[in-house]
Amino acid sequence: MSQDNKKSTKSAQDQSELDPFEIDFLPQFEQGRGPRTPFVNEYGVTIGDHDYESDNSPLEQWTSDTNPEVMAGDQWVHPFKDVGFQSAQNREIFEEGVAPQSGIFTHADKNVAAVTDEATTSKKNDEAEA
């Protein structure tokens, strides 16, 4: 059996053992990720069990006073079982080792993250006129 056939057979076996929300991570992306099994985060919500309706979840108790920041952070993402891994870009990175392209989220001709002297002067002028 050729190397390609062995690799293809192994990959097919690995894929059949994967959770529906998992991808076939390259070995370098499996190390140090965290648990493969579901875990309970600091809010008492089980992450990684695919039951997205949890009584303890801020999503189920949302009010106008809820700060969306409570739903941000790694404690809400399972290191192996996340629907976001299914995107084409993430599959290329984690399954094929294709490095992400730099500049993908930048503006073509403006650095909108930097405050320029012109912007500062313009803002001061606007405030003075008000």
Side-chain angles (χ1 to χ4, degrees), residues 117-130:
D117 288 336
E118 181 181 73
T120 306
T121 304
S122 175
K123 182 177 179 183
K124 286 179 183 176
N125 289 341
D126 290 345
E127 289 171 354
E129 291 174 5

Side-chain angles (χ1 to χ4, degrees), residues 101-113:
Q101 295 179 11
S102 64
I104 219 166
F105 296 111
T106 60
H107 195 284
D109 65 347
K110 294 175 181 60
N111 180 357
V112 295

Side-chain angles (χ1 to χ4, degrees), residues 6 16-17 34 53-54 86 130:
K6 285 180 185 176
S16 67
E17 297 171 8
E53 293 182 17
S54 171
Q86 298 297 327

Side-chain angles (χ1 to χ4, degrees), residues 87-105:
S87 73
Q89 295 89 349
N90 281 336
R91 291 191 83 125
E92 286 177 352
I93 294 167
F94 295 113
E95 290 183 327
E96 300 171 30
V98 176
Q101 295 179 11
S102 64
I104 219 166
F105 296 111

Side-chain angles (χ1 to χ4, degrees), residues 13-103:
Q13 288 171 340
D14 292 345
Q15 285 287 11
S16 67
E17 297 171 8
L18 294 176
D19 180 283
F21 290 91
E22 286 185 89
I23 61 175
D24 192 14
F25 285 95
L26 291 172
Q28 67 262 33
F29 296 116
E30 288 188 356
Q31 305 305 313
R33 292 194 72 81
R36 281 196 174 268
T37 57
F39 63 89
V40 177
N41 72 8
E42 64 189 75
Y43 294 93
V45 177
T46 301
I47 305 297
D49 65 352
H50 311 308
D51 181 15
Y52 294 105
E53 293 182 17
S54 171
D55 291 339
N56 295 330
S57 172
L59 287 176
E60 302 303 319
Q61 303 169 19
W62 205 267
T63 70
S64 59
D65 296 326
T66 303
N67 182 346
E69 186 177 317
V70 302
M71 294 290 293
D74 291 341
Q75 70 270 22
W76 295 101
V77 180
H78 194 279
F80 288 97
K81 304 172 185 184
D82 186 74
V83 69
F85 289 130
Q86 298 297 327
S87 73
Q89 295 89 349
N90 281 336
R91 291 191 83 125
E92 286 177 352
I93 294 167
F94 295 113
E95 290 183 327
E96 300 171 30
V98 176
Q101 295 179 11
S102 64

